[in-house]
Amino acid sequence: MNRYVVGGAGVASVVVLMSLTWLFGSFSWALATTVLMAAIGGGYYAYRQFQIKFADHLNADQSNPETSTSRTSASPTNTSNANDSQSLARKMLDQGRYTLLLRPQIAESIPPKLLQRAQTMLDDEMTLVPGGETIVGKGANDSPDLPDHLDGRIVQVEGFYLDRYQVTNEQYHRFVENGGYEQISLWDPEIVPALLDFVDLTGEPGPRFWKNSKYLSGQAKHPVVGVCWYEAAAYARWVGKRLPTDPEWVKSGSWPVPLPGARPIQRKFPWGEAFDQNKCNLWGSGHGATLPVDKYDDGMSVGGANQLIGNVWEWTSSRFGAWQSNSSPLVLDASMRSIRGGAFDTYFETQATCDFQSGDKAIARKRNVGFRCAIGICDLIPDQSMQAEDFPAQVETHELAEVAQ
């Protein structure tokens, strides 16, 4: 439904009520109110019918002849449900929302072949970061000679998956074209009143530097930028993931080596201790703009995450200043969120290490800030061979449809 309809209906209701009162006089206030309520009730009924029809359209797979046939023939209900479920699952896979299908409450309703496809996509597009300790909050100015209790803090991180690449324009466009900016449930409640401000250069919903809700030609594989923290979080929910925490981001890049009875050894950069401008897109690399996310694979982390350093800064779920070293306490605006990794215009290499934390306003929509997503291992079914007998013959679609929307 058009995002201006709700606001317009509210204004129209007030105008109608005032007009009826003026027309019939103060003694007819009850009559005017009754007429108005009837009109609103009729409008709501029409809206609900629209929702139902839209949900039916979403569940339909026009490219699947089996599903189309099941809607017009006298096929058994369980066959129709199975076809509908498969159609919706395929659509979600095409949208890159494979982690939704791998959640325990949904996976048991997905046919084995589609579930295996979702697992393959997970393995291809995300890297597994094992649980363990990581040091967070060392910062750029901490001396290696500081006492242990001042040189950052040790944080226990549970195992998780992290996107191998920064989210691209192409991936984010799927979110936009499927109405992501109008699905209120995806957004943090405090930012909902500001959703109408999240528009592109032409006033359409989308990242700040797009036009007509579309990224610029030739930049499909570039990281999406011009999105604030709230937009990044909403996209992550839509695909069934979340933003990584600060400790998770640091662990994926520095890849700590645990030592018995001592603090972990961590890398300064994903590729090692020495800076190398040939392994990342920073100011010194000379590009002066974003590059496709699959470039500079020589600089990927031990686990296989690309461009954790350079190209664009990355939003995390943590507040700026969280996990900081006790040697450099900060008192900051609570609306600031943490960004990590540096960008194409980052001049100092000390600001593009696995340890360095910067920050920005959660509503900032800058051309050098993007993001990647994460999800906990505990949130997904175990990665194992799936047998047909492990799944029910009759597939119910209502839970899957709710998640898809």
Side-chain angles (χ1 to χ4, degrees):
M1 190 172 188
N2 191 292
R3 63 201 185 113
Y4 298 106
V5 169
V6 176
V11 174
S13 298
V14 174
V15 172
V16 170
L17 183 57
M18 293 176 65
S19 300
L20 290 173
T21 302
W22 175 83
L23 180 61
F24 294 106
S26 58
F27 293 103
S28 298
W29 175 265
L31 174 61
T33 304
T34 301
V35 173
L36 178 60
M37 291 301 100
I40 293 175
Y44 177 74
Y45 175 78
Y47 171 55
R48 287 295 300 145
Q49 293 303 307
F50 172 86
Q51 284 186 315
I52 294 171
K53 291 181 179 179
F54 180 78
D56 289 342
H57 174 74
L58 179 65
N59 291 337
D61 183 358
Q62 301 299 331
S63 63
N64 185 347
E66 293 182 1
T67 303
S68 299
T69 301
S70 68
R71 291 183 178 273
T72 58
S73 65
S75 302
T77 302
N78 62 335
T79 302
S80 177
N81 287 342
N83 287 337
D84 286 349
S85 177
Q86 292 181 38
S87 297
L88 190 53
R90 289 192 186 96
K91 181 171 184 175
M92 293 169 70
L93 289 172
D94 292 340
Q95 293 172 338
R97 305 166 74 189
Y98 50 88
T99 54
L100 285 171
L101 304 185
L102 294 173
R103 292 182 177 272
Q105 64 271 34
I106 298 299
E108 64 180 14
S109 299
I110 306 301
K113 288 185 178 180
L114 293 181
L115 201 61
Q116 185 56 51
R117 180 181 165 191
Q119 184 65 55
T120 299
M121 292 179 70
L122 174 73
D123 296 338
D124 290 343
E125 299 187 21
M126 304 191 79
T127 176
L128 176 61
V129 181
E133 294 182 340
T134 189
I135 303 173
V136 184
K138 294 176 65 175
N141 299 318
D142 285 355
S143 167
D145 299 325
L146 282 174
D148 284 352
H149 70 282
L150 293 179
D151 190 17
R153 66 178 66 176
I154 296 179
V155 179
Q156 180 70 32
V157 175
E158 301 298 325
F160 67 100
Y161 288 95
L162 183 73
D163 285 348
R164 294 183 184 274
Y165 305 103
Q166 295 153 345
V167 174
T168 66
N169 284 312
E170 182 179 49
Q171 291 172 319
Y172 197 86
H173 182 253
R174 297 175 195 149
F175 170 70
V176 175
E177 69 179 354
N178 282 280
Y181 281 80
E182 285 129 21
Q183 297 181 38
I184 303 301
S185 61
L186 297 174
W187 298 81
D188 289 69
E190 69 269 19
I191 204 62
V192 170
L195 286 184
L196 294 180
D197 296 327
F198 295 156
V199 295
D200 62 21
L201 294 173
T202 59
E204 296 296 324
R208 180 181 175 186
F209 304 105
W210 286 16
K211 293 181 179 180
N212 299 312
S213 292
K214 188 74 169 64
Y215 52 84
L216 301 183
S217 176
Q219 295 193 354
K221 301 299 182 183
H222 285 233
V224 62
V225 296
V227 291
C228 69
W229 183 88
Y230 290 104
E231 290 170 284
Y235 170 88
R237 293 187 187 103
W238 183 73
V239 295
K241 304 178 186 178
R242 57 175 172 79
L243 296 179
T245 66
D246 250 28
E248 287 175 338
W249 194 98
V250 172
K251 192 176 193 304
S252 64
S254 61
W255 208 262
V257 177
L259 297 176
R263 292 162 67 84
I265 297 177
Q266 298 190 171
R267 294 166 176 78
K268 188 174 183 179
F269 302 97
W271 55 83
E273 288 299 305
F275 175 71
D276 188 343
Q277 68 179 24
N278 296 315
K279 293 184 177 181
C280 56
N281 180 23
L282 298 177
W283 184 89
S285 305
H287 298 291
T290 62
L291 294 176
V293 298
D294 57 355
K295 299 296 183 181
Y296 287 106
D297 55 2
D298 287 343
M300 70 174 51
S301 70
V302 175
N306 207 43
Q307 293 187 8
L308 283 169
I309 299 299
N311 214 20
V312 292
W313 291 94
E314 299 179 14
W315 290 113
T316 77
S317 64
S318 303
R319 294 186 182 276
F320 180 46
W323 315 105
Q324 63 187 297
S325 169
N326 294 329
S327 64
S328 55
L330 297 173
V331 179
L332 298 168
D333 187 337
S335 68
M336 297 279 286
R337 293 298 192 277
S338 170
I339 54 177
R340 293 273 182 174
F344 62 86
D345 56 355
T346 300
Y347 184 83
F348 297 103
E349 64 184 67
T350 54
Q351 295 180 350
T353 68
C354 295
D355 296 324
F356 186 83
Q357 182 196 55
S358 188
D360 213 326
K361 291 279 190 178
I363 59 172
R365 310 176 80 210
K366 296 186 175 179
R367 63 174 64 252
N368 63 350
V369 181
F371 66 101
R372 74 180 74 211
C373 301
I375 189 170
I377 294 177
C378 62
D379 294 322
L380 304 176
I381 61 172
D383 182 3
Q384 58 187 2
S385 299
M386 303 297 175
Q387 303 297 325
E389 57 266 25
D390 294 333
F391 296 86
Q394 181 170 335
V395 181
E396 298 296 337
T397 64
H398 63 279
E399 288 188 0
L400 181 59
E402 290 175 359
V403 173
Q405 296 179 34

